[in-house]
Amino acid sequence: MYKKINQAVNDFRKIAREVPALVKSYEEEISLCEKAFLDIRHCVELKKGALTRRQKTLITRLTKEYSLRRRKASDNLRVLQPLDTFLTIQGHVLNRLDTTSGEMRKQISIIEGPRHYNPRVLNELFKEE
C-alpha cells in the first residue's frame, strides 16, 4: 500500500510541475486559433468577387479544424486553471510536497532495507550457534 501512496505523491508532484507550462501552451493555442478565425473572416469579407467552390471548401475545413483545436485547448485549460491558480497562490505547497516525498522515500528504504537489532538485556537470545 505504501508504494502506491508514494507513487501517487510522485505522480502528482510531476503533474503539478508541468501545469504552468501546460496552461501557457493551451493559452497560446487558443490565441493562435482566434487569429486564424480572424484571418478566415477577413478573407471572406475582403475577397473580391464570389468565392469559388474550392475556396468555400477550404474555409469550411479550416473553420472546423480551428474550432476543434480551440475547443480542445479551451476544455483542457478550463480543467487546469483551478489547479494552476491554487499552485500559484500556494506555491510553498510544492516545496513541502518535495520534502514530504523525500521523507517517504527515506522511510521506504528503511522498511525495505535489512533490519538489525542490538539486544539490550537478553543477549543470549541473539547469539548465533
Side-chain angles (χ1 to χ4, degrees):
M1 178 66 165
Y2 63 86
K3 287 184 180 183
K4 287 182 182 179
I5 293 170
N6 186 50
Q7 186 61 47
V9 168
N10 288 329
D11 290 346
F12 178 75
R13 284 177 51 228
K14 181 180 177 188
I15 290 169
R17 297 246 183 252
E18 294 174 357
V19 167
L22 289 171
V23 167
K24 184 177 179 184
S25 72
Y26 291 134
E27 288 171 343
E28 289 171 353
E29 179 73 5
I30 290 169
S31 177
L32 174 84
C33 291
E34 288 173 353
K35 290 174 186 176
F37 287 135
L38 190 61
D39 288 348
I40 292 167
R41 284 197 316 269
H42 280 101
C43 172
V44 171
E45 176 188 355
L46 302 174
K47 198 71 167 176
K48 301 287 185 203
L51 294 171
T52 66
R53 184 178 178 103
R54 177 179 285 182
Q55 290 171 326
K56 290 177 185 177
T57 302
L58 176 63
I59 288 170
T60 302
R61 184 180 57 77
L62 289 173
T63 301
K64 182 175 182 175
E65 176 187 329
Y66 282 100
S67 291
L68 293 173
R69 285 176 61 177
R70 188 185 186 292
R71 171 67 53 215
K72 183 178 177 182
S74 179
D75 289 348
N76 287 324
L77 185 60
R78 197 176 241 199
V79 172
L80 286 177
Q81 198 68 52
L83 180 58
D84 184 53
T85 301
F86 170 78
L87 292 172
T88 301
I89 294 171
Q90 303 291 333
H92 65 282
V93 169
L94 276 181
N95 294 334
R96 294 181 82 186
L97 195 58
D98 290 341
T99 303
T100 301
S101 177
E103 283 296 318
M104 290 172 71
R105 276 194 309 274
K106 181 179 171 184
Q107 295 303 319
I108 289 171
S109 68
I110 290 170
I111 290 169
E112 293 179 347
R115 296 188 181 213
H116 179 73
Y117 177 74
N118 292 325
R120 290 164 179 76
V121 178
L122 301 174
N123 294 329
E124 64 273 359
L125 290 176
F126 293 93
K127 286 185 183 176
E128 303 250 347
E129 294 183 23

